[in-house]
Amino acid sequence: METKLLDPALDPTALAQAAALLRAGEVVGIPTETVYGLGANALDEDAVGKIFAAKGRPQDNPLIVHIADFDAIYALSPAVPDAARALAERFWPGPLTIIVPKSDRVPAATSGGLDTVGVRLPAHPIARELIRLAGVPIAAPSANTSGRPSTTTAQHVLRDLTGKIPAVVEGGACTVGVESTVVSLAGDTPRLLRPGGVTLEQLREVLGEVVVDRALREAIDDSEKVSAPGMKYRHYAPKAPVTVVRGAPDATAAYIRAHADAHTGVLCFDEYAEQFHGLTVETFGSACDLAAQAQRVFDRLRAFDDTAVTAILAQCPDDTGLGLAVANRIKKAAGFHIVEV
Ligand code: AMP
Ligand code: MG
C-alpha cells in the first residue's frame, strides 16, 4: 500500500482527503499535541481492527477515543460523572484522557473488552478539525509500531508505518511530546493510570484525592491484572537496551562516565553533554526544563536506532510535575532496569 503524506499547509484538500479515508473505514496518522495518533472511526469495529493490525498491538489494549466537542462524550458514555465535567472545564482541550463507563455504541474492539472507555478532546487544531470533518469519534493510539517509542513527528510515523496505512497528516512536531495523562473516574476514587501532559499535582487541584497506580513506577508481572492494560507491555524501547540511572544529575553523570565504553549511547540533560566526549550522546533538554524533556524524549530514544550503540545509559528527572511522565517513559523504555546512585 502507498502511504501518502497529506500536508494541509501545501494542499487545501489534505484534511478533506484524510476525513474521507476515516469515513470510509480506513486508518490515518493524525497529529495531536501529545504524540501522533493512528486514527480510525471508533464506532466501526472493522476500522478499529486495522489500527491493531498496522501497529501489531495486543487486542486487549484499549484505544483512546478522541472527540472535537465536549458534548460528544454523551454518545460514548451513559453516565458521565460530575468530576469529568470539572476536569474537562479545566484541562480540555488538552493532554488528558478521562476513563468513564462505556455505552453499548462503543464496540468491544475499541475498549479492549472493558466496560469503560477513555475519552479525550485534543488541543491540536488539525486533530479537532479532522474529527469534525470525519463526523465520528476517532479512536487513536500512538502511531508507532507496538513496543517502539511513540511518534512525535510525521516522519517518525512514516518510518514505522509506511506501506501499512494509506495516509499521514502533517501537523509539525508535537508540542507536549508525551502521551496524555490517563485518569479513571470509573471507580470510587479517581485513579491515575498514566502520567502525561497534565500533572498529578494539577489533577489533585480539581479532584482532591487521586490514587497513583503502582504500575507507573514498577515493573508489572505479565500475569497480573492491571487497570490500564497498556501498562503491562514493553514500551517505548529503542533497539539497544536502556538502563536508567536515577539520582542527582551530577552523581548520575559521574556513574555514566565510569560505566560507559565506546559502544555506549548516553541520553543526558543538555548541560552534561560535554562530559561524554567520544560517546554517542543524545541530549533531551536542560535538567530544569521538563517541558523540553517531554517534547524531545521519544525523538532522542529513536535517534539511537540510527547509531551502532549496543547499550544506552540514561539520565532521568525525578517524579515532580511533568517529571513523573518523562521518568515513566524512560523507565518503561528501560523495561524498569534502574540503577539508583
Ligand atoms: P496509547 O493510546 O497507545 O498511548 O495507549 C492508551 C493507554 O490508555 C493505554 O495504556 C491503555 O491501556 C489506556 N486506556 C485506554 N482506555 C482505557 C480504559 N477504558 N481503561 C483503562 N485504560 C485505558
Ligand atoms: Mg502507545
Side-chain angles (χ1 to χ4, degrees):
M1 171 187 319
E2 189 207 345
T3 303
K4 273 193 196 166
L5 181 62
L6 299 172
D7 187 345
L10 302 175
D11 175 359
T13 72
L15 289 186
Q17 289 182 55
L21 285 166
L22 290 167
R23 278 197 304 276
E26 286 301 330
V27 295
V28 175
I30 296 172
T32 83
E33 73 278 18
T34 57
V35 300
Y36 274 69
L38 186 58
N41 179 352
L43 306 179
D44 176 343
E45 208 165 330
D46 293 338
V48 163
K50 293 180 188 174
I51 295 177
F52 287 90
K55 285 192 56 137
R57 182 177 173 102
Q59 302 281 342
D60 70 344
N61 196 356
L63 306 175
I64 291 168
V65 179
H66 297 74
I67 57 179
D69 302 284
F70 179 81
D71 285 352
I73 196 174
Y74 296 109
L76 303 171
S77 176
V80 178
D82 289 343
R85 266 181 290 271
L87 285 175
E89 208 149 286
R90 170 88 188 266
F91 300 116
W92 279 3
L96 178 68
T97 296
I98 306 174
I99 309 279
V100 291
K102 169 184 104 60
S103 96
D104 294 340
R105 291 187 68 206
V106 180
T110 300
S111 67
L114 300 173
D115 54 10
T116 54
V117 61
V119 186
R120 181 163 98 87
L121 203 167
H124 198 302
I126 290 180
R128 287 229 301 285
E129 179 64 12
L130 194 49
I131 298 166
R132 263 194 213 107
L133 287 172
V136 289
I138 299 296
S142 49
N144 51 281
T145 298
S146 209
R148 296 254 302 138
S150 300
T151 46
T152 55
T153 66
Q155 295 310 314
H156 292 163
V157 183
L158 289 171
R159 176 104 187 229
D160 276 23
L161 298 175
T162 289
K164 296 182 174 166
I165 61 174
V168 181
V169 177
E170 176 62 76
C174 300
T175 53
V176 176
V178 290
E179 300 85 344
S180 59
T181 301
V182 179
V183 65
S184 175
L185 301 179
D188 291 338
T189 311
R191 179 176 283 266
L192 179 67
L193 302 185
R194 177 172 73 184
V198 170
T199 66
L200 178 60
E201 293 85 342
Q202 289 175 312
L203 287 180
R204 285 184 170 145
E205 284 169 22
V206 175
L207 297 172
E209 189 185 0
V210 178
V211 175
V212 177
D213 221 279
R214 188 169 66 81
L216 305 192
R217 293 196 176 98
E218 295 170 33
I220 291 294
D221 190 276
D222 266 9
S223 60
E224 280 184 62
K225 189 175 174 344
V226 293
S227 333
M231 295 193 295
K232 73 183 179 211
Y233 296 108
R234 183 179 141 91
H235 246 102
Y236 312 132
K239 288 175 190 143
V242 180
T243 299
V244 183
V245 188
R246 297 261 294 174
D250 287 343
T252 57
Y255 177 94
I256 292 172
R257 279 199 313 279
H259 290 82
D261 64 32
H263 307 289
T264 307
V266 179
L267 178 71
C268 71
F269 303 126
D270 293 353
E271 45 279 65
Y272 292 87
E274 61 186 23
Q275 299 194 13
F276 304 115
H277 274 308
L279 301 177
T280 303
V281 177
E282 293 292 341
T283 58
F284 70 123
S286 165
C288 57
D289 189 348
L290 291 166
Q293 293 171 31
Q295 217 249 327
R296 294 180 200 160
V297 64
F298 287 129
D299 181 68
R300 302 307 142 91
L301 284 171
R302 282 180 168 264
F304 286 113
D305 287 347
D306 296 326
T307 73
V309 300
T310 53
I312 298 165
L313 294 172
Q315 287 187 305
C316 180
D318 69 26
D319 286 343
T320 313
L322 200 49
L324 185 64
V326 176
N328 168 267
R329 301 316 188 272
I330 300 175
K331 287 182 199 171
K332 289 189 78 167
F336 289 93
H337 189 240
I338 302 167
V339 178
E340 304 276 353
V341 299

